[in-house]
């Protein structure tokens, strides 16, 4: 079976969950007998050195089966490229590789219309689309968070989308929906890493029978043994991008509330980057908080900023904390950080929405708090830091996360059972 | 002669040594310059000999004028004469290469109305009659004159001479009914023809009135400006459709069941959106598309998108790119010439199929209905919110009295209304197949032979508006009312093009023109949602 994985970015060029999963899957499939996997990952002007004159698709660092799609002239409004030669190059690549399965892990930087082109070029191929957020439904970065009031959005409509993005009239969103759906019609199977995602897509009009849940997973790394810790379990850690949706500001607010209440016997370690993608207001708030914290005498600091990290550094960073905090203020589709925390034996304190709410069992393997409620988070942190034996009980309740093999097996099952329309007709 | 220590010769002095300078005399006496320009005198010298000397006109100047000092050159009697002229100013005079003239200004003629306005340039002159000038409000003049009365101080004029005119220094004479005149000197600036159209139409749309602007704008142009704008616009349309760029994408079959003609204005995205959505239609392989772009500046992205569409969607398409905006009628007429079928489907770029079998249903209509019902027909169109946008059209007549000039005058304007606009989708009365007074140009399916017999779209309208109703009225006049057949489409009305002030001005011209052409026929038996004309059915 020949499988082509189409990935938004390469994880070694631009960090992000979707590309990590595509890359992990690629390696997992390469190790599977009878499967010939190819990865086509996009690059854009964030890595200008990769753009070779006149080239549209190139190899990647001499690695077998890995290719780079040199995206350009991308129209974010309609999620398509305007570059004719780039689309021709994609078509040539399909004709050259002739995969049995084309698995899109995203369409950003490629174009949603390449789904239709793929169906036209390879009528018998199985086309799989993995949704890593709700970008097909929601033009506001696919987060399905109301920009009007920050609440979670349960239903897109031309008027509601216009309210979030008033620069475009309702008709634009009506067209956008038709545009997205007509290209998604080329897909044989949709996969989602969390089950809760299926309902919004079905409510939006996609066929329920086309959806399959396949968990995200990464290759397991050996965890550091938990050094005997006699004191209170009062060390919290945040791992992820410092962008609005990840909610680090909620954590900072909770820290302030705890201090105001006189509770200061705790630490919070911040691990992450990509603050340049935060909104200017949020970025300014985060930077101001961290600067004020750094200005305190070391003994008075509660928050420590460790900066970016490579996945290989995760066990060491996890070993320095007791609890992993996931304060996301959107649906948070899967949250690989939860898997990482569990792989390292750390219970999770997470917003009660989306993937975390589906994965974390409150009081069994972690704690949930009301989304975006800093006071609720502060109370949860105080409880976590002070309640005797709570950490031990929840750490013992952790079920080790699925490994990469389980994810690969899940996708292989999808590839085998998805029936392309042309084959159905032939049968 | 004059002022503190001035060294200039005394006014009226005979030029020293009998030398007379034509240039100096005309410079010192601008009214004489105008009179000479108007042919009343052969030269300044003639005027001087016949009148100027006796009037004590100034004729000499020192070689160098003293700086920063006032120099009196005329006598008080002459000054009193010019003092009687009313306040007046011209804001601009523009002359286009092809001979259009546009001017704006204001005059305090509340008591002594303007009679005409004359322009004198070195190689031509032109007089605007008072009726040919549109009168508008000028709040700035009202404030400056501290006048709270309802008088239109502003005026503007437009004419198309169809002659190459030279720009340059222009002497302007404003004549009032009493015989008083006022002379001004202004530069008539050159302007490119399309900019001239934009300027005049934008001015029309932005003008202010004491009454309802919808009626007042039409009333202001009905005597002369309207017809002049139409002539000028037609010239530009003819030029715009001359030598278009044409490229074919996909195959060219010897014959199609229909040619879908889409006129694009400025927005590229609607081409690929339509192509993507129509590509999913059953039976669409029997149709070709002809896109005609009225916006030359989008040529490059349009060609790119056409190539992408051919690659991704594979529909057969001809792309026609005009060098300028020819307007809806001329562009569609031209596109029809590239059709490889005997069925023309005129479609707006923001119209999309409603359901997967639209093309097949359209074909079935052609196969099963008699020509009288399919020679020209429209379809129900729906808004994005699901409500009805169009279920055929009918005509109404609006009349408004105006007392601006102190006496009653009426302005009547034909209005086109859509049956069932905003009705819920289940209100099927509006969508049942029936003959109607008119259908919208957002979607018209017509046999090519019938379209040609009607002379295609009338190209008199500016940019686009009313050509659809005009075509339908021509069809009724020729004996076949348009029909409405229930093959639904989406219509994101007005989203396929960007509307600018010149388009609003064009609409005002079109309202006037459509009313002028059709009000009489409509008034007979086509007025209202239930017209009495035999052969038409109301919902």
């Amino acid at each position: 079976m020949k499988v082509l994985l189409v990935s938004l970015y390469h994880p070694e060029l631009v960090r992000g969950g979707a590309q990590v999963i595509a890359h992990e899957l690629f390696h997992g499939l390469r190790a599977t007998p009878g499967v010939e996997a190819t990865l086509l990952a996009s690059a854009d002007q964030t890595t200008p050195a990769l753009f070779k004159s006149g080239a549209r698709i190139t190899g990647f660092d001499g690695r077998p089966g890995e290719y780079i799609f040199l995206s350009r002239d991308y129209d974010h409004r309609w999620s398509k490229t305007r570059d004719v030669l780039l689309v021709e190059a994609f078509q040539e690549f399909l004709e050259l590789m002739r995969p049995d399965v084309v698995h899109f892990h995203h369409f950003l930087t490629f174009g949603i219309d390449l789904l239709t082109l793929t169906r036209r070029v390879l009528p018998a191929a199985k086309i799989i689309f993995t949704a890593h957020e709700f970008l097909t439904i929601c033009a506001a970065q696919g987060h399905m968070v109301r920009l009007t009031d920050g609440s979670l959005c349960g239903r897109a409509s031309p008027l509601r989308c216009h309210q979030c993005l008033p620069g475009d009239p309702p008709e634009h969103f009506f067209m956008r929906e038709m545009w997205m759906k007509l290209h998604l019609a080329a897909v044989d199977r949709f996969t989602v890493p969390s089950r809760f995602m299926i309902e919004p897509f079905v409510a939006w009009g996609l066929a329920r029978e086309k959806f399959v849940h396949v968990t995200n997973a990464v290759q397991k790394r050996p965890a550091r043994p938990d050094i005997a810790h006699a004191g209170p379990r009062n060390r919290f850690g945040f791992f992820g991008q410092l962008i609005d949706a990840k909610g680090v500001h909620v954590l900072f607010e909770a820290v302030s509330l705890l201090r105001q209440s006189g509770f200061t016997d705790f630490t919070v370690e911040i691990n992450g980057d990509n603050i340049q993608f935060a909104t200017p207001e949020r970025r300014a708030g985060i930077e101001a908080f961290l600067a004020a914290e750094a200005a305190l005498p070391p003994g008075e600091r509660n928050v420590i900023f460790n900066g970016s990290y490579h996945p290989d550094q995760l066990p060491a960073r996890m070993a320095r904390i007791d609890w992993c905090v996931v304060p996301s203020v959107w649906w948070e589709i899967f949250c690989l950080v939860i898997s990482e925390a569990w792989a390292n034996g750390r219970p999770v304190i997470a917003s009660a929405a989306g993937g975390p709410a589906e994965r974390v069992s409150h009081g069994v393997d972690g704690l949930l708090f009301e989304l975006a409620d800093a006071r609720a988070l502060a109370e949860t942190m105080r409880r976590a830091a002070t309640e005797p034996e709570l950490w031990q009980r929840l750490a013992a309740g952790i079920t080790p996360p699925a490994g990469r093999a389980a994810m690969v097996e899940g996708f292989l099952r999808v590839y085998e059972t998805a029936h392309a329309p042309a084959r159905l007709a032939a049968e | 002669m004059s002022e503190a220590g001035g060294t200039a010769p005394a006014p009226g002095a005979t030029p020293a040594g009998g030398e007379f300078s034509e240039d100096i005399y005309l410079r010192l006496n601008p009214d004489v310059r105008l009179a000479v320009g108007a042919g009343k005198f052969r030269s300044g010298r003639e005027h001087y000999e016949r009148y100027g000397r006796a009037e004590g006109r100034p004729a000499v100047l020192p070689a160098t004028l003293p700086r920063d000092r006032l120099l009196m050159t005329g006598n008080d009697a002459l000054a009193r004469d010019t003092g009687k002229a009313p306040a007046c100013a011209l804001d601009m005079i523009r002359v286009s290469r092809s001979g259009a003239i546009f001017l704006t200004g204001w005059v305090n003629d509340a008591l002594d109305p303007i009679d005409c306005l004359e322009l004198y340039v070195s190689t031509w002159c032109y007089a605007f009659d008072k009726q040919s000038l549109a009168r508008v409000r000028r709040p700035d003049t009202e404030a400056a004159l501290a006048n709270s009365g309802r008088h239109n101080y502003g005026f503007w004029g437009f004419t198309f001479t169809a002659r190459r005119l030279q720009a340059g220094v222009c002497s302007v004479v404003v004549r009032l009914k009493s015989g008083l005149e006022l002379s001004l000197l202004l530069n008539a600036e050159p302007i490119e023809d399309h900019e001239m159209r934009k300027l005049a139409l934008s001015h029309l749309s932005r003008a202010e009135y004491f009454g309802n602007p919808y009626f007042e704008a039409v009333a202001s142009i009905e005597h002369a400006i309207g017809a002049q704008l139409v002539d000028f616009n037609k010239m530009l349309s003819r030029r715009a459709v001359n030598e278009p760029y044409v490229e074919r994408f996909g195959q060219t079959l010897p014959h199609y069941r229909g040619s879908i003609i889409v006129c694009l204005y400025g927005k590229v995205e609607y081409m690929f959106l339509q192509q993507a959505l129509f590509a999913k239609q059953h039976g669409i392989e029997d149709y070709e598309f002809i896109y005609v772009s009225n916006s030359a500046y989008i040529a490059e992205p349009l060609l790119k998108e056409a190539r992408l569409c051919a690659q991704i969607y594979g529909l057969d398409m001809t792309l026609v790119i005009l060098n300028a905006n020819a307007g809806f009628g001329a562009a569609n007429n031209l596109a029809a010439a590239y059709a490889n079928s005997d069925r023309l489907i005129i479609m707006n770029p923001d119209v999309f199929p409603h359901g997967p079998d639209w093309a097949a249903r359209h074909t079935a209509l052609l196969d099963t209905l008699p020509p009288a019902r399919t020679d020209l027909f429209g379809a129900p169109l729906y808004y994005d919110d699901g409500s009805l946008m169009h279920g055929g059209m009918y005509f109404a007549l609006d009349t408004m009295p105006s007392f601006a000039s102190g006496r009653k005058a009426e302005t009547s304007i034909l209005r086109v209304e859509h049956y069932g606009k905003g009705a819920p989708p289940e209100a099927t009365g509006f969508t049942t197949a029936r003959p109607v007074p008119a259908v919208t140009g957002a979607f018209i399916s017509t046999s090519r032979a019938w379209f040609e017999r009607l002379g295609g779209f009338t190209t008199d309208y500016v940019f686009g508006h009313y050509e659809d109703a005009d075509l339908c009225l021509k069809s009724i006049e020729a004996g076949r009312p348009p029909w409405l057949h229930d093959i639904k489409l989406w219509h994101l009305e007005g989203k396929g093009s960007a509307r600018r002030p010149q388009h609003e001005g064009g609409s005002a011209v079109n309202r006037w023109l459509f009313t002028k052409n059709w009000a009489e026929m409509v008034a007979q038996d086509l007025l209202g949602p239930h017209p009495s004309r035999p052969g038409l059915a109301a919902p």
Side-chain angles (χ1 to χ4, degrees), chain A residues 73 77-78 80-84 87-88 91 113 116-117 120 158 169-171 174-175 178-179 182-183, chain B residues 269-270 272-273 276-277 280 304-305 307-308 310-314 352-353 383-384 490 492-493 495:
Chain A
D73 206 6
R77 184 174 168 80
W78 292 105
K80 68 185 279 295
T81 177
R82 304 183 190 97
D83 192 305
V84 182
V87 175
E88 282 175 6
Q91 178 169 344
D113 51 346
T116 297
L117 179 66
R120 193 155 176 249
E171 288 88 346
F174 173 78
M175 273 312 306
M178 285 213 287
W179 169 250
L182 78 91
H183 293 300
Chain B
E269 61 203 45
Y270 282 92
F272 64 72
L273 292 172
L277 284 158
K280 302 278 181 182
K304 275 187 182 177
E305 289 300 343
R307 285 175 193 137
L308 283 172
Q311 194 180 357
I312 297 174
Y313 310 114
F352 303 95
Y383 286 122
D384 61 300
W490 297 108
L492 312 186
E493 191 179 19
K495 304 300 176 187

Side-chain angles (χ1 to χ4, degrees), chain A residues 214-237:
Chain A
V214 180
T215 189
N216 282 345
V218 293
Q219 184 77 319
K220 284 184 180 169
R221 279 174 283 270
R224 293 273 181 95
D226 186 39
I227 301 161
H229 187 76
R233 292 291 184 174
N234 57 357
R235 301 172 303 167
F236 302 89

Side-chain angles (χ1 to χ4, degrees), chain B residues 319-337:
Chain B
L319 179 58
V320 181
I321 302 176
L322 308 184
N323 63 56
N325 188 351
F328 180 86
N332 277 293
N333 289 350
L334 175 74

Side-chain angles (χ1 to χ4, degrees), chain B residues 425-459:
Chain B
E426 57 272 18
T428 52
F430 297 113
T431 60
T432 49
R434 66 190 194 282
V436 290
V439 293
T440 173
F443 173 82
I444 290 176
S445 176
T446 175
S447 86
R448 189 174 191 163
W450 186 245
F451 183 74
E452 288 172 356
R453 190 178 147 187
L454 297 177
F457 285 112
T458 301
T459 56

Side-chain angles (χ1 to χ4, degrees), chain B residues 85-123:
Chain B
C88 173
L90 252 70
D91 306 311
M92 69 163 87
I93 304 173
R94 295 285 184 271
V95 177
S96 85
R97 207 174 165 74
S98 298
I101 305 168
F102 170 83
L103 59 85
T104 67
W106 60 267
V107 58
N108 183 2
D109 65 341
L111 300 175
D112 187 2
I114 191 169
D115 186 54
C116 78
L117 187 149
E118 299 162 3
L119 306 178
Y120 300 92
V121 178
S122 60
T123 57

Side-chain angles (χ1 to χ4, degrees), chain B residues 342-357:
Chain B
D342 51 18
R343 167 66 41 176
L344 306 177
I345 298 157
I346 311 298
M347 190 180 284
N348 272 14
D350 50 11
V351 167
F352 303 95
H354 194 305
D357 57 349

